[in-house]
Amino acid sequence: MTADELRESLLASPKNGYARISAEQRAEMEAYCKRYMAFMDACKTEREATTWAAAEAEKLGFKPFAPGMDAKPGDKIYLNNRGKSIMLAVIGKRSLADGANICAAHVDSPRMDIKPNPLYEDSEIAFFKTHYYGGIKKYQWVTIPLALHGVVYRKDGTVLTVTVGEDDTDPVLMVSDLLPHLAADQMQKPLAKGIAGEQLNVILGTEPVEGDGSDMVKLNILRILNEKYGLVEADFLSAELTIVPAGRCREVGLDRSLIGAYGHDDRVCAYAELEALFTIGTPDKTCVCILADKEEIGSVGISGMQSEAFEYFMETLCDAQGVKLTQCFANSFCLSADVSNAFDPNFPETCDRRNNSALNYGVSICKYTGSRGKGGASDASAEAMGHIRTTFENAGVIWQIATLGKVDQGGGGTVAAYMANRNIVTVDAGVPVLSMHAPIELVSKLDCYETMLACKAIYLA
Ligand code: MN
Ligand code: MN
């Protein structure tokens, strides 16, 4: 054999996805990304994504979960977990004893949460105190337009939904930074300390109410909140208000090949799962789509992937078919759909280029995450990787390999370990992202589309 023939038959030779998709797929990709961008404009928090998913599911005939309900082939069921996460199932032709095909993504993203006693005035400026949520580089969150999203549980038991900063006529909020002229000391600090957590105070206003006394600007802000929403200061205690980047997602690049948005991690995989689930008809095996909360802070709590809410949902489906939950789990497969770090030529030293995902090379399969010797990782087996590889190949999904940075550079985790701990074979795969956890993250349209195809392939496997 010639070297060319050997090369052709022996070497893995990944090609840029644009060299591999048809004109027809290109058109589908553009249409898919338009729908994804509309979803992103509507959903910036786990609550908004949960509400959106439940509403879409209802339109498609999904029924709200109820204890003791049937689970017959073709039934479509969803459980809204207290407004903060959602699990959806399409019951397959085969028994749940044969397992389910599960895709699990998360819909929470790094941000700044409002503290329980947030409102104060200093130097005749009113502020909200915040506590950042998830892993952020704090310096990135100053001097950018911010929006307020969330809910307030009022004294009378009614729940108020608040969104300020997204409508073109709304004001936005902002955190200030120091002028360079006076930043001699600040500029000597390491990047992690240039802006401190307790400096992430959000400016709310500067106009005092008329009259004499202290905190007149704060009082004016409360007056505005009371007039608009009927709120009083004590209501902040029973609120979940969060500060996220304001504005809509945008096409990025002169060729429009990228999408810039807040919170691609991990709503880009959540949307892929959802659309895949909504378009599979009645599958062979039962398909389950999970949009989890709290991944960014360890998947803890009642709405995180470690919560038994998942068992509650699955056990009810299994009971309806007279199947033991443990047997269902033992035969199930889970795609832990989460983003990877796309190779960034501005920071090549942080990655092992041979094992890093790249923009436009398709859905990235990550055998293990973790840090310092795979610590905390759900290291997928050869068999699990083989299953996903074969499934993607058979479905014509463009895929690539991902690892999270070079060894000992850092690391991270996903929900994979919590699914695998349940005795469910689990593999991580998802969309490569540039500037992950920044206020605006970048993904490629091609990778978004391929990830939706990947979820569909897993559901139909
Ligand atoms: Mn993630
Ligand atoms: Mn993340």
Side-chain angles (χ1 to χ4, degrees):
M1 280 176 118
T2 66
D4 278 350
E5 286 164 348
L6 286 170
R7 223 175 268 124
E8 177 70 18
S9 61
L10 297 182
L11 291 183
S13 48
K15 282 196 188 73
N16 189 297
Y18 277 98
R20 300 176 57 185
I21 60 168
S22 64
E24 193 184 16
Q25 284 176 314
R26 280 283 294 266
E28 278 177 34
M29 172 188 96
E30 292 291 346
Y32 172 78
C33 287
K34 276 206 174 68
R35 296 193 293 276
Y36 169 57
M37 289 171 76
F39 164 78
M40 290 299 273
D41 285 339
C43 304
K44 289 192 173 180
T45 66
E46 68 282 355
R47 279 183 186 271
E48 289 163 0
T50 295
T51 302
W52 192 96
E56 288 298 306
E58 290 265 357
K59 281 186 217 161
L60 295 167
F62 281 71
K63 298 273 178 291
F65 170 94
M69 73 192 306
D70 276 350
K72 297 189 301 295
D75 283 355
K76 296 185 275 188
I77 300 162
Y78 75 93
L79 172 59
N80 181 332
N81 183 6
R82 301 164 174 92
K84 292 176 65 75
S85 67
I86 186 168
M87 295 168 271
L88 308 98
V90 177
I91 307 300
K93 293 169 196 150
R94 286 165 66 180
S95 163
L96 275 160
D98 295 338
N101 284 325
I102 304 164
C103 292
H106 66 94
V107 284
D108 61 316
S109 299
R111 64 193 185 212
M112 296 184 287
D113 286 342
I114 298 301
K115 289 190 183 188
N117 183 20
L119 182 57
Y120 73 103
E121 175 176 335
D122 191 340
S123 312
E124 295 171 72
I125 305 172
F127 295 94
F128 270 154
K129 294 295 300 177
T130 66
H131 193 149
Y132 66 94
Y133 171 95
I136 65 167
K137 293 161 103 173
K138 299 178 196 85
Y139 71 86
Q140 294 178 330
W141 293 71
V142 298
T143 69
I144 60 168
L146 299 167
L148 178 68
H149 287 235
V151 297
V152 185
Y153 187 99
R154 286 178 291 207
K155 201 176 174 184
D156 64 5
T158 56
V159 178
L160 167 78
T161 301
V162 178
T163 312
V164 180
E166 300 296 356
D167 194 277
D168 285 344
T169 62
D170 279 355
V172 294
L173 308 177
M174 203 168 283
V175 178
S176 65
D177 193 6
L178 186 59
L179 64 167
H181 317 63
L182 302 182
D185 291 343
Q186 183 195 35
M187 296 297 270
Q188 298 308 312
K189 292 181 183 175
L191 212 47
K193 294 188 172 157
I195 298 289
E198 291 291 354
Q199 286 174 322
L200 292 175
N201 302 316
V202 179
I203 296 172
L204 300 173
T206 59
E207 182 182 342
V209 289
E210 273 182 49
D212 295 319
S214 60
D215 286 353
M216 302 298 262
V217 176
K218 170 181 169 176
L219 199 55
N220 193 42
I221 294 298
L222 272 173
R223 182 187 62 79
I224 292 166
L225 289 173
N226 188 265
E227 276 173 12
K228 190 162 182 201
Y229 302 113
L231 294 182
V232 296
E233 191 173 20
D235 289 331
F236 289 124
L237 176 69
S238 51
E240 279 178 31
L241 292 169
T242 190
I243 300 287
V244 298
R248 300 159 80 84
C249 60
R250 302 289 297 267
E251 292 178 306
V252 174
L254 296 179
D255 60 2
R256 301 172 182 266
S257 61
L258 304 171
I259 302 170
Y262 163 66
H264 284 309
D265 177 10
D266 186 33
R267 288 191 281 280
V268 69
C269 297
Y271 185 79
E273 282 181 12
L274 259 186
E275 184 162 322
L277 187 82
F278 287 161
T279 52
I280 52 170
T282 300
D284 199 25
K285 284 191 178 183
T286 291
C287 295
V288 178
C289 169
I290 303 170
L291 309 190
D293 182 26
K294 295 288 180 280
E295 192 279 339
E296 295 295 356
I297 60 169
S299 297
V300 289
I302 200 163
S303 51
M305 206 58 248
Q306 298 196 62
S307 163
E308 287 204 18
F310 180 57
E311 275 74 11
Y312 177 58
F313 181 63
M314 291 301 293
E315 189 159 43
T316 299
L317 303 184
C318 285
D319 284 349
Q321 298 189 358
V323 171
K324 281 186 78 170
L325 178 67
T326 48
Q327 187 184 351
C328 174
F329 278 1
N331 291 324
S332 292
F333 179 84
C334 178
L335 179 79
S336 165
D338 207 342
V339 298
S340 62
N341 64 307
F343 181 77
D344 187 339
N346 277 339
F347 305 96
E349 68 285 358
T350 59
C351 298
D352 167 12
R353 206 169 175 169
R354 290 184 182 83
N355 285 280
N356 208 90
S357 64
L359 292 176
N360 291 328
Y361 277 73
V363 60
S364 63
I365 310 174
C366 192
K367 186 176 187 300
Y368 51 85
T369 57
S371 54
R372 295 174 303 280
K374 302 188 177 180
S378 161
D379 200 349
S381 70
E383 291 84 349
M385 296 297 278
H387 171 67
I388 201 167
R389 172 187 167 196
T390 307
T391 302
F392 289 174
E393 288 285 344
N394 290 344
V397 175
I398 300 174
W399 62 270
Q400 60 178 323
I401 286 167
T403 56
L404 190 53
K406 74 178 183 189
V407 176
D408 289 337
Q409 180 67 36
T414 64
V415 302
Y418 309 113
M419 300 308 285
N421 286 347
R422 292 176 158 109
N423 197 28
I424 298 170
V425 174
T426 303
V427 181
D428 273 307
V431 178
V433 175
L434 279 181
S435 314
M436 196 193 295
H437 285 204
I440 307 291
E441 303 172 316
L442 292 176
V443 294
S444 97
K445 288 179 177 175
L446 186 139
D447 299 331
C448 294
Y449 177 63
E450 292 300 324
T451 298
M452 186 275 289
L453 295 181
C455 293
K456 207 178 228 181
I458 292 298
Y459 283 141
L460 297 176

